[in-house]
Amino acid sequence: MKKLFITATAVVISVTAQAQDELIKSLDGNTSLSAKEGFMFKPLINLERTSVKNQGSSGTCWSYSGNSFIESEMLREGKTPVDISEIYTARCVYIEKAKNYVRMHGNVSWGDGGELHDVMNIYKKYGALPQEVYTGLNYGTDINRFGEMQAILKGMLDGIIQNKNGNLTPNWITAFTAVLDSYLGQVPESFTYNGKTYTPQSFAQEVIGINANDYVELTSIPDEPLYQDVFLAVPDNWSFDYAYNISTTDLISTIDNALDKGYTVGWAADVSEKYFSWKNGVAYVPETEYAKMSAEEKESLFSGPKDELTITAELRQQAFDNYSTTDDHAMQIVGKAKDQNNKEYYIVKNSWGTKNDYEGYLYVTKNYVMYKTTALLLNKAGIPKNIYKG
C-alpha cells in the first residue's frame, strides 16, 4: 500500500508514500492541540496483540500489519507469540515481485509496497523467521531505510529487461538476491530458537503453527459482482490476486462479527485524507467536504466528535474511480471503543512507532472504514456465514 504516481508509460513507480516518514510528513497538518481533551474513549472490545513496531523509512506496512495479525492469531489460540521478522517476509516478496516485474517487461509496480495477502502467500511458500534471527538491518542503521536499496534494485531490474544480450541469462536473479543479501542480510538455512533447530518452513509449521488456508482477503467494489472472488485492482497487487467481494455495509458487519468472536482484522485503507490524523489518533468523515470548510471548521476538525457524512456504495465507488480513495496503508483492527456520545470506533494498531496521542494506536469511525477500506484480511471463522461460505 502506498501513494503512487503513474508515468506516461505503463510502468507504475513508487514515488511518495513508500516510506513511513514521508507519509507522516504529508499528514503533519492534520492535528489539533486539543484533540485528546476533546475525545473521550471507552474500550468495548480490546483483543490481545503484540507491541507496536516501527516500519521506519520503508513502505512495508503490509508486512508489519500482516505479521502482527499472525501474532494475534497465535495469542488467540493460546500460544506464546513470536516476534516475527517483517523484513524476512518483505525480502521474499521482493524476490517474487522481481520475477513478475521481469516477466511483465517492467509493466507492473515496483517498490516496497505490497498487500495483506502477500504475508499469507509468503508464509505458505517461504515460512517465517523470528526477528532475533533476521532483523534486516545489515547496512549500518538501527531502523529500516530502504531508499538506496530500492534505487539499486529498480535500476538493476530495468537494466535486465532491456535484454542487451538478446536472451536473459539465469544469473540475473542470483545478482538480484546478492543485493538483498548485502542490505538485509543472508537468510540462514537453519537456526536455533529456544534451544531447537529450525528452517524457516519448519519454524512456521511447528512454532507459529497457523494454517494459511484458514484466512481470506475481502474487498468491497460496488460495481463488481458480490459474494465471489474479484480482481483486487490496486497498483500494489503485483501478484494479481483476487479477493472476496462484499457489500459496503458488510464491511462493518464482518469486522464487528470478527471482533465479537475474538478475531483481529488486517485493514488496508486510504489514510491520505485531511480527516485522518495520525498525531491525534483519530479518523472520521466530516459532513462538509474539507475544501469547502471555513478556516474555523478546519481549525476545529479534531477538537472533538462531529457529525459524519452518510456513506453509500455509490459514494464509495466514486471515491475509487476519481482517485480520492487510493491504496495507501495497512494496519490492524484490534478492538472497539465508544466516545462520550456513544458513537463506536475501531481501535487500530499502526506501525509508525508510538509517538502519537495514543502511543501508536488510532480510533477510527465505522463511516471512515466503510468509505476508505481497500481490503481486509481475517480468519474465515470470523466472517458471518451469510456473507462467506468458503
Side-chain angles (χ1 to χ4, degrees):
M1 292 76 193
K2 51 187 171 19
K3 277 288 191 185
L4 299 163
F5 289 116
I6 302 178
T7 67
T9 68
V11 182
V12 182
I13 302 175
S14 314
V15 177
T16 56
Q18 74 274 25
Q20 165 219 325
D21 49 359
E22 295 175 5
L23 183 51
I24 290 177
K25 186 176 180 181
S26 73
L27 298 171
D28 276 350
N30 303 7
T31 61
S32 169
L33 295 176
S34 61
K36 196 150 187 198
E37 291 72 37
F39 289 92
M40 291 179 283
F41 295 113
K42 179 181 178 180
L44 302 173
I45 298 172
N46 217 348
L47 300 177
E48 279 193 286
R49 64 273 188 179
T50 51
S51 62
V52 173
K53 308 300 192 300
N54 191 337
Q55 69 190 69
S57 186
S58 74
T60 53
C61 57
W62 51 273
S63 186
Y64 278 79
S65 56
N67 279 302
S68 177
F69 172 80
I70 291 175
E71 292 165 4
S72 290
E73 283 293 277
M74 293 184 71
L75 283 164
R76 186 186 59 78
E77 293 179 358
K79 300 174 183 175
T80 300
V82 174
D83 185 0
I84 301 171
S85 170
E86 298 88 359
I87 302 307
Y88 173 70
T89 303
R91 172 207 165 94
C92 295
V93 162
Y94 298 153
I95 291 171
E96 293 299 312
K97 188 188 290 191
K99 294 174 185 176
N100 218 28
Y101 188 88
V102 171
R103 288 170 183 150
M104 296 292 291
H105 297 242
N107 293 306
V108 67
S109 69
W110 178 261
D112 287 344
E115 299 297 330
L116 290 166
H117 60 245
D118 290 331
V119 176
M120 286 302 172
N121 290 345
I122 292 303
Y123 175 85
K124 193 173 182 179
K125 182 172 182 177
Y126 287 92
L129 288 175
Q131 177 71 13
E132 66 187 61
V133 169
Y134 198 83
T135 66
L137 299 173
N138 198 47
Y139 47 99
T141 73
D142 58 2
I143 197 168
N144 301 327
R145 298 190 184 280
F146 283 3
E148 180 179 299
M149 178 187 74
Q150 284 292 8
I152 292 171
L153 294 174
K154 177 92 170 34
M156 174 181 287
L157 291 173
D158 287 342
I160 290 164
I161 64 177
Q162 288 178 29
N163 192 21
K164 295 289 188 179
N165 289 350
N167 286 291
L168 294 187
T169 73
N171 298 61
W172 75 264
I173 192 66
T174 303
F176 180 89
T177 303
V179 174
L180 292 175
D181 288 345
S182 178
Y183 278 92
L184 305 181
Q186 293 186 347
V187 175
E189 290 186 11
S190 63
F191 60 93
T192 301
Y193 183 80
N194 288 345
K196 187 174 178 181
T197 300
Y198 299 95
T199 66
Q201 288 81 5
S202 67
F203 183 76
Q205 293 167 5
E206 298 174 27
V207 178
I208 296 175
I210 69 163
N211 182 354
N213 295 322
D214 289 340
Y215 301 88
V216 64
E217 189 171 43
L218 307 178
T219 191
S220 180
I221 306 173
D223 69 355
E224 292 287 342
L226 293 176
Y227 312 113
Q228 64 183 60
D229 291 337
V230 300
F231 177 62
L232 185 61
V234 294
D236 275 334
N237 185 14
W238 59 270
S239 59
F240 310 124
D241 274 38
Y242 280 58
Y244 189 75
N245 195 34
I246 62 178
S247 73
T248 303
T249 54
D250 281 346
L251 286 172
I252 300 305
S253 55
T254 296
I255 296 170
D256 284 344
N257 187 76
L259 294 174
D260 288 343
K261 290 187 173 182
Y263 296 91
T264 69
V265 178
W267 180 48
D270 184 319
V271 300
S272 63
E273 304 296 348
K274 294 292 187 183
Y275 41 85
F276 178 100
S277 175
W278 157 242
K279 174 62 177 68
N280 294 142
V282 175
Y284 74 104
V285 187
E287 281 187 306
T288 303
E289 186 180 341
Y290 184 82
K292 297 178 181 178
M293 286 183 181
S294 66
E296 184 179 354
E297 287 174 317
K298 292 177 180 178
E299 180 93 17
S300 64
L301 198 58
F302 297 103
S303 61
K306 304 285 192 305
D307 290 335
E308 289 192 272
L309 183 68
T310 299
I311 306 303
T312 65
E314 292 74 21
L315 187 64
R316 178 179 166 81
Q317 184 66 52
Q318 182 184 36
F320 274 111
D321 292 341
N322 67 19
Y323 289 5
S324 60
T325 291
T326 51
D327 185 39
D328 294 335
H329 192 44
M331 295 162 280
Q332 183 190 14
I333 299 173
V334 297
K336 192 159 46 172
K338 65 179 180 179
D339 67 14
Q340 61 266 43
N341 299 329
N342 288 320
K343 177 188 285 187
E344 291 191 350
Y345 297 66
Y346 293 123
I347 304 172
V348 176
K349 178 187 175 186
N350 201 2
S351 56
W352 291 350
T354 58
K355 293 182 179 180
N356 79 335
D357 283 355
Y358 297 104
E359 299 183 331
Y361 290 88
L362 301 103
Y363 292 87
V364 181
T365 67
K366 292 183 174 183
N367 280 38
Y368 192 98
V369 170
M370 286 178 67
Y371 194 22
K372 292 296 174 178
T373 295
T374 54
L376 303 174
L377 176 69
L378 67 165
N379 192 306
K380 294 175 183 178
I383 308 173
K385 296 191 183 304
N386 64 315
I387 292 175
Y388 183 78
K389 297 180 173 60

